[in-house]
Amino acid sequence: MATETVLVVDFGAQYAQLIARRVREAHVKSEIVPASITAAEVAKRAPVAIILSGGPASVHVAGAPILDPAVYETGVPILGICYGAQLIAQQLGGLVARTGKGEYGRAALTITDASTAVLRDLAPEQDVWMSHFDSIQQMPPGFVATARTNEIPIAALACAARRIHAVQFHPEVGHTANGQTVLERFLFDVAEASPNWTNESIIDRAVSTIRAQVGGSKVLCGLSGGVDSAVAAALVHRAVGDQLVCVYVDTGLMRAGESDQIDATFRAHFGVELIHVKAGDRFFAALDDVADPERKRKIIGECFIRVFEAEARKLSRDGCKFLVQGTLYPDVIESGGGHAATIKSHHNVGGLPADMDFELVEPLRDLFKDEVRAVGHELGLPDEIVWRQPFPGPGLGVRVVGTITRERVELVRTADAIVREEVAAAGLERELWQAFAVLAVIRSVGVMGDERTYGYPIVLRAVTSDDAMTADWARLPYDLVDRISRRIVNEVKGINRVVLDVTSKPPGTIEWE
């Protein structure tokens, strides 16, 4: 069965990716497209439905984004959300007015026509999330109002004959009660989409695509220890078996037990040909007496490239012409949607010389992070890898704030292991985006037993986030913070103080360097 796709037209809203993810949670594939998409392009893509996102602009502002009017004539079912709803009203002959009074946050929605498809069988009163200043005052010909709030008379409208629906509220956010139900009513009752975007179907399609691309050639994958490269490697291995060769560059800056786990998972469990390059000495020598965080990142990146390059050249001479990259769908969106022509600099294999002629294999380029984890679980990767928290490419090298030595890396590695162990024991591992330790290369006075100490502090950093673009500091239970602090001070010799970072992003960043 061909994959049906819903196009999410992005009008600059912060929620466009969230809409796309909610559609996928209903097991329907979604793709984000720019507002400039034409009716001809829509026809070529043949989507099962179109969703118009919200956006920060007013439909009255000169230069505000609009939709090609011919899209409304394609016959494809359309759902407009917030700005998308107002745009539908304005472009199809209604009136959007500047009332001088906005509506933001939680609002009480009253359903006035329960027969409309997207609001069918819902309670007459619903809590919804609003974020708008302009309001729809007059509906286009052929439309009926289906809901209102105390502030606006038209909070939802529909033209059943044309299969066009619009809601002023945001069904994609968690604050809207039954928001997912509204989206699914549109997908299944209006657009008659098929829920065939599943982990199994994703894997089957990826396997077919990979086999068609690489044929009988060898495929190289650079394992970083992170979720994306691990799942990409497992997926390619499912497709081509022993044609896959993985290279793992051990920088000496990895978390506790990470290298052993990678060896055990890919060499022993999957039977993958794994080249484990132990290059810690080279990295520590290059980082000697370097404190500037940007210089550290560049040095680590350069060393990684040189080590990986040496192995890649050997494999290239042996007929390896394909390189696996763990590109995710958000990467594709941020780069404008085009196929990645070069290896991205922020990936571990970034910056390989131009004369190294590899064709990229990107099995995850259609997936969000949560989908990557689900696929990894389906492929049989252990939870320790699938649910591993994001880890910076330079590793612990950027979690030592100051100059790097083996001793300092070992201190932060041991403290970090305690943090992760206690967070997992508290059952919070999947609720936090990241929780880790940072070593600040400063000294503070302490008292241990009858002696004064002069040791390093450990900074405990824990955040919640959906996508790392913004993050809030995690309100960890006090007893958990207490256990972590006592264990670090008692078990990590050289640490005599633990402090808690309570800074959100912005203004801070998640990492310290």
Side-chain angles (χ1 to χ4, degrees):
M1 181 183 293
T3 304
E4 296 176 335
T5 302
V6 173
L7 299 183
V8 178
V9 182
D10 184 2
F11 287 108
Q14 60 180 317
Y15 296 120
Q17 286 196 36
L18 184 55
I19 295 170
R21 288 175 62 188
R22 293 290 183 253
V23 171
R24 293 187 182 202
E25 286 174 10
H27 302 299
V28 179
K29 185 181 179 183
S30 61
E31 292 182 8
I32 298 174
V33 296
S36 59
I37 192 168
T38 65
E41 291 169 331
V42 168
K44 185 176 180 180
R45 289 172 175 262
V48 69
I50 298 171
I51 299 179
L52 310 183
S53 82
S58 164
V59 294
H60 296 292
V61 174
I66 62 171
L67 187 67
D68 178 358
V71 171
Y72 297 111
E73 308 308 319
T74 61
V76 178
I78 297 174
L79 172 65
I81 296 174
C82 195
Y83 179 87
Q86 294 176 5
L87 193 63
I88 288 173
Q90 184 189 65
Q91 288 191 296
L92 296 183
L95 175 65
V96 178
R98 291 176 169 175
T99 63
K101 188 174 184 180
E103 192 174 30
Y104 299 94
R106 196 178 307 278
L109 181 80
T110 299
I111 296 174
T112 56
D113 184 350
S115 66
T116 184
V118 299
L119 302 177
R120 179 176 50 80
D121 297 334
L122 296 182
E125 299 287 332
Q126 298 282 316
D127 282 340
V128 298
W129 196 257
M130 291 284 192
S131 182
H132 68 99
F133 192 75
D134 297 341
S135 297
I136 300 169
Q137 295 294 302
Q138 182 178 317
M139 290 174 296
F143 281 74
V144 296
T146 58
R148 62 175 174 79
T149 69
N150 291 334
E151 300 295 333
I152 57 174
I154 306 174
L157 61 158
C159 179
R162 300 180 66 179
R163 296 193 296 175
I164 299 176
H165 296 256
V167 295
Q168 184 63 69
F169 58 90
H170 287 273
E172 74 275 17
V173 302
H175 296 88
T176 293
N178 299 307
Q180 186 67 12
T181 300
V182 171
L183 289 173
E184 291 182 9
R185 292 272 196 274
F186 171 71
L187 294 173
F188 303 128
D189 294 355
V190 178
E192 299 182 339
S194 300
N196 59 7
W197 182 254
T198 63
N199 296 334
E200 295 83 358
S201 69
I202 291 169
I203 292 170
D204 289 344
R205 292 184 185 97
V207 165
S208 296
T209 301
I210 294 165
R211 287 174 177 167
Q213 180 183 6
V214 308
S217 299
K218 285 278 189 180
V219 184
L220 169 63
C221 179
L223 284 174
S224 67
V227 177
D228 302 339
S229 69
V231 174
L235 194 49
V236 173
H237 184 259
R238 170 72 66 89
V240 299
D242 59 11
Q243 292 171 228
L244 175 67
V245 180
C246 289
V247 174
Y248 171 55
V249 178
D250 189 343
T251 64
L253 302 170
M254 308 305 287
R255 289 172 287 196
E258 204 151 41
S259 296
D260 292 339
Q261 186 180 59
I262 289 170
D263 266 348
T265 298
F266 286 94
R267 202 194 304 270
H269 181 66
F270 284 104
V272 172
E273 182 180 348
L274 176 63
I275 300 171
H276 185 162
V277 185
K278 297 182 179 181
D281 290 346
R282 179 169 179 170
F283 282 83
F284 280 108
L287 290 166
D288 185 44
D289 204 31
V290 177
D292 180 76
E294 190 58 29
R295 278 194 64 207
K296 284 195 288 187
R297 286 181 177 272
K298 288 181 178 179
I299 288 169
I300 293 169
E302 176 71 16
C303 282
F304 189 100
I305 290 166
R306 298 286 80 83
V307 174
F308 189 87
E309 175 190 354
E311 298 300 326
R313 285 195 187 281
K314 297 176 190 175
L315 293 166
S316 180
R317 288 194 294 269
D318 291 338
C320 187
K321 297 300 181 185
F322 294 90
L323 178 64
V324 178
Q325 178 166 294
T327 307
L328 302 190
Y329 190 49
D331 301 326
V332 177
I333 297 168
E334 290 169 8
S335 65
H339 190 281
T342 58
I343 301 165
K344 296 181 181 170
S345 61
H346 66 271
H347 284 197
N348 279 339
V349 293
L352 290 180
D355 64 346
M356 298 189 69
D357 187 19
F358 285 102
E359 181 180 333
L360 293 182
V361 178
E362 299 174 301
L364 309 180
R365 64 179 282 111
D366 288 335
L367 306 183
F368 287 104
K369 191 77 168 189
D370 54 334
E371 293 174 308
V372 171
R373 294 189 195 277
V375 166
H377 180 76
E378 190 70 28
L379 289 167
L381 287 171
D383 284 353
E384 292 79 5
I385 287 182
V386 170
W387 290 101
R388 178 164 290 164
Q389 293 179 353
F391 189 53
L396 297 176
V398 291
R399 290 188 180 167
V400 175
V401 183
T403 55
I404 294 174
T405 65
R406 289 182 183 275
E407 175 200 14
R408 290 168 182 170
V409 168
E410 192 55 39
L411 288 175
V412 75
R413 178 183 287 122
T414 307
D416 181 75
I418 291 171
V419 172
R420 291 187 292 123
E421 181 181 323
E422 289 294 339
V423 165
L428 297 176
E429 194 171 30
R430 299 189 186 184
E431 294 183 23
L432 302 176
W433 180 262
Q434 282 175 269
F436 57 90
V438 176
L439 176 74
V441 183
I442 56 175
R443 302 270 187 164
S444 67
V445 175
V447 177
M448 303 179 80
D450 295 325
E451 299 180 0
R452 288 168 67 83
T453 61
Y454 197 51
Y456 294 112
I458 283 290
V459 180
L460 172 58
R461 180 66 162 152
V463 299
T464 58
S465 179
D466 289 325
D467 53 16
M469 299 300 292
T470 61
D472 193 13
W473 63 277
R475 275 62 169 175
L476 299 176
Y478 287 153
D479 59 342
L480 173 59
V481 175
D482 179 56
R483 284 196 305 275
I484 290 172
S485 176
R486 284 189 289 107
R487 282 196 61 191
I488 289 176
V489 171
N490 289 335
E491 298 175 29
V492 188
K493 187 176 181 180
I495 303 298
N496 67 353
R497 191 179 298 268
V498 175
V499 298
L500 180 65
D501 183 347
V502 293
T503 312
S504 296
K505 176 188 179 182
T509 56
I510 295 176
E511 299 287 345
W512 270 51
E513 287 202 339

